[in-house]
Amino acid sequence: MSKHPTVSAKHSRPAVNRSWHLARTPDELDVAELEYALIRSFEGFGHWQMQCLSAVADFAASGPENALLHMIRMNDRPKSIRDLAHMGNRDDIPNIQYSLRKLIKGGLVRKSGSGRSGVVYEVTAYGREVTDAYADVRSDLLIEAVKRVPDLMTRLQDAAHTLELLTGIYDQAARIAATHRAAGTREQRMKPS
């Protein structure tokens, strides 16, 4: 008898082993696959943002820095760090401040106001030119590609609603997890009994 499975036996079992520590049940598998799709999408989105910005300006920015630039430009009104953190669902203020300094140094954003009246950020004339050119490249390359996929625009609307719902679920689960944080240092919690 051959040690190799027959063709029919080979096709009767899954081609990929999908069981792992975050996918012990079918429900866990569905959520885990979505989470890893989100991670890959986020990274792909970051790569796209970097390349699109590089196509229109001699400025290297990470995906989050690029997103920050476009959030500042949104609705053409100045934004505070608190506004930007809220809009991006972020709480890493030191990282936002670092990104803002980088955008200011690149001539894309300016800071105005004071501690008493409130500091706000807005795009410069150069920042406006860059974000407009970015929007043009985005339209020519990304939006045209999306429009060529049948029914994708409708599916994107559904996906956006689903992601907003999941954002709320993740935030609530994070708040609950924070209330159940184990006592002691990380080393004490991870130490085998």
Side-chain angles (χ1 to χ4, degrees):
M1 177 149 213
S2 171
K3 291 183 179 181
H4 302 289
T6 64
V7 172
S8 61
K10 182 179 178 183
H11 290 290
S12 67
R13 61 184 171 168
V16 177
N17 179 357
R18 296 180 185 263
S19 62
W20 55 298
H21 73 283
L22 293 179
R24 299 168 299 190
T25 68
D27 290 340
E28 288 179 353
L29 175 62
D30 290 345
V31 173
E33 287 190 353
L34 172 74
E35 289 171 339
Y36 278 88
L38 282 172
I39 290 167
R40 290 187 301 272
S41 291
F42 176 76
E43 294 301 328
F45 179 57
H47 296 155
W48 155 252
Q49 288 179 303
M50 287 176 19
Q51 294 305 321
C52 189
L53 184 61
S54 294
V56 299
D58 186 22
F59 183 77
S62 68
E65 290 163 351
N66 198 322
L68 199 59
L69 173 62
H70 293 287
M71 281 193 284
I72 293 167
R73 171 77 195 272
M74 188 184 295
N75 300 319
D76 287 317
R77 69 173 201 279
K79 316 253 179 346
S80 67
I81 287 180
R82 173 181 247 150
D83 294 334
L84 296 168
H86 182 70
M87 290 170 70
N89 195 31
R90 294 177 62 177
D91 58 9
D92 57 335
I93 301 301
N95 291 331
I96 294 172
Q97 290 170 324
Y98 172 81
S99 295
L100 288 168
R101 287 191 298 271
K102 188 173 173 182
L103 293 169
I104 290 167
K105 186 176 180 182
L108 298 163
V109 169
R110 77 173 143 258
K111 174 181 171 180
S112 61
S114 66
R116 286 188 172 228
S117 64
V119 174
V120 293
Y121 300 85
E122 59 188 323
V123 294
T124 61
Y126 176 61
R128 183 175 302 282
E129 288 174 27
V130 167
T131 53
D132 283 343
Y134 182 104
D136 291 340
V137 171
R138 180 178 181 270
S139 181
D140 291 346
L141 299 178
L142 183 68
I143 304 306
E144 285 303 315
V146 168
K147 286 171 30 178
R148 284 192 293 270
V149 178
D151 201 37
L152 186 55
M153 293 306 276
T154 301
R155 290 169 40 202
L156 289 176
Q157 292 170 0
D158 292 341
H161 292 299
T162 300
L163 290 173
E164 289 296 334
L165 177 63
L166 282 171
T167 298
I169 291 170
Y170 277 117
D171 283 344
Q172 180 62 17
R175 283 189 290 274
I176 293 169
T179 65
H180 298 285
R181 191 169 292 145
T185 65
R186 180 176 184 266
E187 292 77 23
Q188 290 170 332
R189 290 191 305 267
M190 299 300 290
K191 192 175 189 179
S193 302

